[in-house]
Amino acid sequence: MKFRFATTPQLARLDHQRYGSRGSALRQTTRHLASLETAGLVLRLERRVGGWPGGSGPAVWALTTSGYHQITGTTGARQRPRLLSTTFLEHLLAVTETRVIVAETVREIDGASVHVEHEPECWRTYLGLHGQRLTLRPDLRLEITTQEFRDSYFLEVDRATENPARVIAKCRQYQRYRRTGQEQQRAGAFPAVLWIVPHTKRRDQLNQHIRQAELTSGMFHVRTLDELPTILRDGPPTSTTHP
């Protein structure tokens, strides 16, 4: 379990192909999580997270310290999920939702496979202009491969809570990291940077700021979650603007 947090439906969607239907997957996942909770390996958060339809959000799960140690084989990095702010928790759940949609989309692409790097595996350390050590922190890095193509992305999950100026500052950090050539040596090419946003209003807002900032052409793309499967199937366009 590489997600820091996930809801019951998200986990069921990731594994639903093992079951006869989505309903069966949800029931079996619920039972399995209950048994892991009894064993002290996962915990259910006792708080409501906004942004879910129907007024009552689904159960949110995280590994306990024991569960984390059993999964990773380590004795450090204790999990303290109750210390997180609700805003940050909502961001982490949005990252999980993005990852689930990636898995669902790749399943539908004939002969495709996906390699995903989660935090902190996807983070990149590099030297700044004055020799200082800097760290670029994407939310995810993924590479989709078929016999016909290989597409790579750095993913940034945006909740429309940040000033667009901070998004542009992060884009400029990607440009500086690209100029080091490290990622190209590592992977053969620099991944497209894909911003995932909650709605079209935010998409259009960020696209406007990216155009005005005169960032590297074709490097940055902004999509809603609903639009994510299309870009994963068709590949990134050559323009930074939304078609």
Side-chain angles (χ1 to χ4, degrees):
M1 183 176 177
K2 293 188 176 181
F3 308 115
R4 292 178 65 179
F5 298 92
T7 67
T8 308
Q10 286 173 336
L11 294 171
R13 286 162 57 200
L14 274 175
D15 211 24
H16 90 274
Q17 71 272 19
R18 293 177 51 191
Y19 305 99
S21 66
R22 290 186 179 273
S24 175
L26 183 58
R27 290 190 295 273
Q28 295 297 329
T29 300
T30 301
R31 293 190 189 104
H32 185 53
L33 287 167
S35 66
L36 292 175
E37 184 180 27
T38 300
L41 299 178
V42 300
L43 60 85
R44 188 194 319 241
L45 267 64
E46 297 176 356
R47 69 169 112 171
R48 179 170 297 179
V49 178
W52 299 98
S56 58
V60 177
W61 300 89
L63 290 169
T64 62
T65 299
S66 296
Y68 180 84
H69 291 169
Q70 182 164 319
I71 290 291
T72 64
T74 65
T75 58
R78 293 187 63 190
Q79 302 291 286
R80 299 179 183 273
R82 293 187 177 88
L83 299 183
L84 294 177
S85 69
T86 298
T87 299
F88 189 46
L89 177 58
E90 289 177 349
H91 171 77
L92 294 175
L93 286 173
V95 173
T96 300
E97 180 66 16
T98 301
R99 174 65 181 91
V100 171
I101 290 175
V102 168
E104 291 175 329
T105 302
V106 171
R107 283 187 202 131
E108 301 301 319
I109 302 174
D110 187 38
S113 62
V114 60
H115 173 73
V116 181
E117 296 177 6
H118 296 251
E119 296 181 298
E121 181 187 6
C122 64
W123 294 355
R124 301 291 189 262
T125 300
Y126 63 101
L127 296 181
L129 292 176
H130 304 290
Q132 71 275 36
R133 290 177 64 85
L134 303 173
T135 302
L136 177 69
R137 292 180 170 87
D139 290 313
L140 295 166
R141 186 191 186 282
L142 60 95
E143 185 171 278
I144 301 174
T145 304
T146 70
Q147 291 184 345
E148 290 77 29
F149 66 85
R150 184 182 69 177
D151 291 334
S152 300
Y153 302 89
F154 283 121
L155 266 64
E156 294 282 349
V157 178
D158 173 83
R159 297 288 294 158
T161 57
E162 299 280 3
N163 188 300
R166 297 193 66 175
V167 172
I168 298 304
K170 187 69 173 285
C171 289
R172 296 197 189 282
Q173 186 183 18
Y174 274 104
Q175 289 191 146
R176 290 192 293 271
Y177 174 59
R178 184 185 187 186
R179 286 195 289 268
T180 69
Q182 289 179 206
E183 196 69 22
Q184 295 90 316
Q185 291 179 350
R186 171 188 179 129
F190 197 86
V193 181
L194 182 55
W195 288 88
I196 305 300
V197 297
H199 44 69
T200 57
K201 181 179 178 180
R202 179 65 166 181
R203 180 199 69 197
D204 296 342
Q205 179 191 45
L206 292 190
N207 270 324
Q208 180 180 1
H209 279 80
I210 287 172
R211 287 193 298 269
Q212 292 173 346
E214 298 182 349
L215 298 165
T216 302
S217 178
M219 184 174 174
F220 303 97
H221 311 276
V222 187
R223 295 292 185 272
T224 65
L225 265 178
D226 289 342
E227 296 165 337
L228 176 58
T230 299
I231 194 171
L232 295 180
R233 286 191 297 263
D234 298 342
T238 57
S239 170
T240 57
T241 59
H242 188 79

